[in-house]
Amino acid sequence: MSIKWLDLDTPPHLPALYAHAAARRKITGSTLPEQGVRCWVAVAPKPLAAFRDLCGLTPSPLLPPTYPHLLAFGLQMQLLTAKDFPFPLLGLIHLNNRIQLIRPMGGVTELHIGVYARNLQRHPKGATFEVVTEVSDRIGPLWAAESTLLCKGVELPGETLEQPTAAALALTELTRWYVPSGIGRQYAKVSGDYNPIHLSAASAKLFGLPSAIAHGLWIKARALAALDSHLPADNLEICVSFKKPVRLPSEVILLASDPGSRGDFQLNGQGDLVHLTGQWRPLG
């Protein structure tokens, strides 16, 4: 796939993009655009400190593994709300997320970030596609991510591809924590992601949910904070699959395998409820 890049001088203005998202409610096509969006984005100390605090991260000279997602959020919004993007942003469901830590993310004050969409596939409930985020510094590639999103109601020809599942390592309880009812609003202030399903029970009910649910990327960031001593600092791939949403408020339980170059983890609710499954592996 050959990407036609749109280079921006400054990151996109989020309020205007939210207006575009609110106005788009219909599926308008079944092919992904070939255009990507990229820009240099500053790493500001205060928002970074707020993110660390919200996710339970200790101070470190390295950027947290999931923090580039926040820096890329405006570019992702511009990509997904563009006129030629066929699916409405509101209603997309985040199924999977994979990040690659190519080099240690230390001492960076500005990052070059590019985002684009690819790999449209048939799904039993519609269609999935990937939003790819690529992050570099002045030296070269530093970090990359793929987020698999589901759009319900899309009709594509062909067969649904089966996703292979790998056997998990033995897991034991590592920690548990209480997720408060206001975490969605707190994360929105830090990330800029004001999706109504995360903000309050009232706004979530407008989209058919009985209560607000936690942001998937906050859940992942909070789990990785608890797994910090388990993980290498670079040459690392971390994959998660989002299962049942974390309804607010609730208690969650993090299970993990032993520290090392590879491992597995899982975030559970009460009873047999599974919110997230994940793994970390060396790159290559």
Side-chain angles (χ1 to χ4, degrees):
M1 179 179 178
S2 178
I3 305 299
K4 300 175 183 177
W5 289 105
L6 172 64
D7 290 294
L8 304 180
D9 294 328
T10 59
H13 186 55
L14 283 175
L17 297 180
Y18 273 111
H20 290 316
R24 294 274 305 277
R25 297 300 180 94
K26 295 182 179 180
I27 297 169
T28 58
S30 58
T31 58
L32 297 174
E34 296 181 353
Q35 187 175 75
V37 187
R38 60 189 181 186
C39 183
W40 284 97
V41 179
V43 181
K46 287 186 177 180
L48 175 57
F51 177 80
R52 289 189 189 279
D53 183 61
L54 188 62
C55 298
L57 290 153
T58 58
S60 169
L62 303 179
L63 290 185
T66 61
Y67 192 66
H69 273 301
L70 271 71
L71 300 176
F73 180 67
L75 294 169
Q76 294 167 352
M77 283 282 291
Q78 174 148 336
L79 177 77
L80 296 174
T81 58
K83 291 182 178 180
D84 60 347
F85 202 84
F87 311 135
L89 175 60
L90 293 177
L92 293 179
I93 300 171
H94 198 173
L95 298 181
N96 305 301
N97 178 262
R98 177 175 71 151
I99 60 176
Q100 295 179 325
L101 306 177
I102 301 168
R103 291 187 288 113
M105 296 190 293
V108 293
T109 58
E110 190 178 36
L111 294 171
H112 191 247
I113 302 177
V115 302
Y116 60 93
R118 70 178 183 190
N119 197 24
L120 186 64
Q121 298 285 345
R122 183 183 173 95
H123 186 275
K125 296 182 179 180
T128 62
F129 63 96
E130 295 169 353
V131 174
V132 179
T133 305
E134 299 174 342
V135 176
S136 302
D137 59 9
R138 299 290 179 180
I139 298 174
L142 191 65
W143 184 95
E146 296 173 2
S147 292
T148 303
L149 303 178
L150 166 66
C151 182
K152 292 183 176 181
V154 181
E155 296 183 4
L156 296 178
E159 298 180 356
T160 302
L161 297 179
E162 299 238 354
Q163 299 298 324
T165 56
L169 301 174
L171 305 178
T172 57
E173 181 176 335
L174 181 64
T175 186
R176 59 178 65 199
W177 65 88
Y178 179 76
V179 186
S181 58
I183 193 64
R185 295 186 294 276
Q186 295 175 50
Y187 186 76
K189 290 179 181 178
V190 171
S191 67
D193 186 350
Y194 283 88
N195 189 324
I197 64 174
H198 304 303
L199 301 181
S200 70
S203 60
K205 286 177 181 178
L206 296 175
F207 293 85
L209 297 177
S211 65
I213 61 175
H215 289 77
L217 288 178
W218 177 81
I219 289 292
K220 181 177 182 179
R222 182 66 179 82
L224 294 184
L227 288 165
D228 183 57
S229 62
H230 283 54
L231 306 175
D234 64 340
N235 191 40
L236 179 67
E237 180 175 273
I238 305 170
C239 304
V240 301
S241 294
F242 300 107
K243 304 299 185 181
K244 296 295 183 180
V246 176
R247 293 183 179 180
L248 303 177
S250 62
E251 184 183 50
V252 294
I253 305 156
L254 180 64
L255 311 175
S257 58
D258 294 334
S261 61
R262 60 180 58 234
D264 297 297
F265 59 100
Q266 183 169 306
L267 192 71
N268 292 352
Q270 297 302 317
D272 297 327
L273 190 62
V274 177
H275 296 302
L276 175 151
T277 60
Q279 60 178 224
W280 70 90
R281 300 288 187 267
L283 287 177

